[in-house]
Amino acid sequence: MKVDLNSDLGESFGRYKLGLDEEVMNYITSANVATGWHAGDPIVIRRTVRLAKENGVAVGAHPGYPDLLGFGRRYMKLSPEEARNYILYQIGALYAFTRAEGIELQHVKPHGALYNALVKEEELARAVIEGIADFDRNLIFVALSGSRPAEIAEEMGVKVAREVFADRAYNPDGTLVPRSKPGAVIHEEEAIAERVVSMVKDGGVRAINGEWVELKADSICVHGDNPKAVQIAARIRRVLEEEGVRVVPMREIVR
């Protein structure tokens, strides 16, 4: 049994530092690097890519809405043409740095409000996946487990990794509880560890109302901006390995 651990990194900007990238990088196997539109800048991007290379962590693009002020967590209405080209543009930005550092680009994981919008808007999801395929059909598209975008990617012949969230509550339909609602983010390490084992080994998790939600876990997201990010990442990795689960980059799972 294998699973990937990913985290959203490189989200500092200019003089502002966000997240615990250096520490979290010790426990993950894939890094989603911000591409400059919701967070990150050229200096931060190169530093993050180099840090991942030094730690043997696979690198992927983390494109979002052009919304630095809102950190990409505000919904924006995009046409399919805009979405396709916005994704292609941001992948290209990160690719410049992975190429400069001599490492491969592994995956693409949309960020924040864009990630959530894909679940509800099929036309938008298709446009984003087309943008990924325009660049390289071998890139892995990271999608919410059980969602329509994951199915669309498969239909289009694009590799897909189904993602689950260690520290986020789920609705009964398999979507994430909005951060604006109470209980959306889980902070207790023990509860997070139990949920991760359940998602990986039992194929599901309890929703916020207690209902069982079936999930396939190719990759587990650990948020790097959580105040307890390092402890949580370390705990998750330790618990998985104790359960006999190999923690590997998603390219070793999705082929």
Side-chain angles (χ1 to χ4, degrees), residues 73-176:
R73 288 181 175 164
R74 300 182 293 192
Y75 174 77
M76 298 177 69
K77 180 65 176 177
L78 301 181
S79 70
E81 182 182 21
E82 288 173 324
R84 183 172 184 169
N85 290 306
Y86 286 4
I87 293 299
L88 181 59
Y89 181 92
Q90 292 180 78
I91 295 172
L94 180 62
Y95 175 69
F97 293 99
T98 57
R99 179 167 179 172
E101 292 296 330
I103 62 175
E104 293 184 4
L105 193 59
Q106 174 188 248
H107 66 279
V108 179
K109 174 188 169 180
H111 165 79
L114 177 60
Y115 183 98
N116 292 326
L118 301 186
V119 176
K120 301 176 181 178
E121 300 180 29
E122 184 166 327
E123 187 178 45
L124 179 67
R126 194 171 297 277
V128 164
I129 298 165
E130 286 172 346
I132 296 170
D134 285 342
F135 185 87
D136 185 351
R137 191 169 289 275
N138 288 314
L139 287 176
I140 300 168
F141 169 56
V142 180
L144 182 67
S145 183
S147 69
R148 178 61 182 143
E151 297 174 347
I152 294 172
E154 285 193 334
E155 292 168 2
M156 294 174 62
V158 173
K159 297 178 181 179
V160 58
R162 289 166 170 78
E163 180 182 41
V164 297
F165 288 79
D167 59 355
R168 292 293 304 277
Y170 280 80
N171 291 309
D173 64 356
T175 59
L176 300 177

Side-chain angles (χ1 to χ4, degrees), residues 25-26 28-31 51-59 103 251:
M25 199 75 81
N26 291 315
I28 63 172
T29 44
S30 295
L51 182 64
K53 179 182 178 181
E54 291 170 354
N55 284 271
V57 173
V59 172
I103 62 175
R251 62 178 168 234

Side-chain angles (χ1 to χ4, degrees), residues 4-104:
D4 170 63
L5 280 186
N6 80 71
S7 189
D8 305 339
L9 304 178
E11 294 183 322
S12 297
F13 182 80
R15 297 180 61 187
Y16 302 96
K17 179 174 171 55
L18 179 68
L20 302 164
D21 293 10
E22 293 83 358
E23 296 87 349
V24 171
M25 199 75 81
N26 291 315
Y27 302 102
I28 63 172
T29 44
S30 295
N32 317 309
V33 181
T35 50
W37 278 25
H38 78 276
D41 61 44
I43 303 301
V44 171
I45 293 173
R46 183 150 202 176
R47 184 185 301 136
T48 308
V49 169
R50 187 171 290 161
L51 182 64
K53 179 182 178 181
E54 291 170 354
N55 284 271
V57 173
V59 172
H62 196 37
Y65 287 130
D67 182 23
L68 278 173
L69 287 176
F71 195 66
R73 288 181 175 164
R74 300 182 293 192
Y75 174 77
M76 298 177 69
K77 180 65 176 177
L78 301 181
S79 70
E81 182 182 21
E82 288 173 324
R84 183 172 184 169
N85 290 306
Y86 286 4
I87 293 299
L88 181 59
Y89 181 92
Q90 292 180 78
I91 295 172
L94 180 62
Y95 175 69
F97 293 99
T98 57
R99 179 167 179 172
E101 292 296 330
I103 62 175
E104 293 184 4

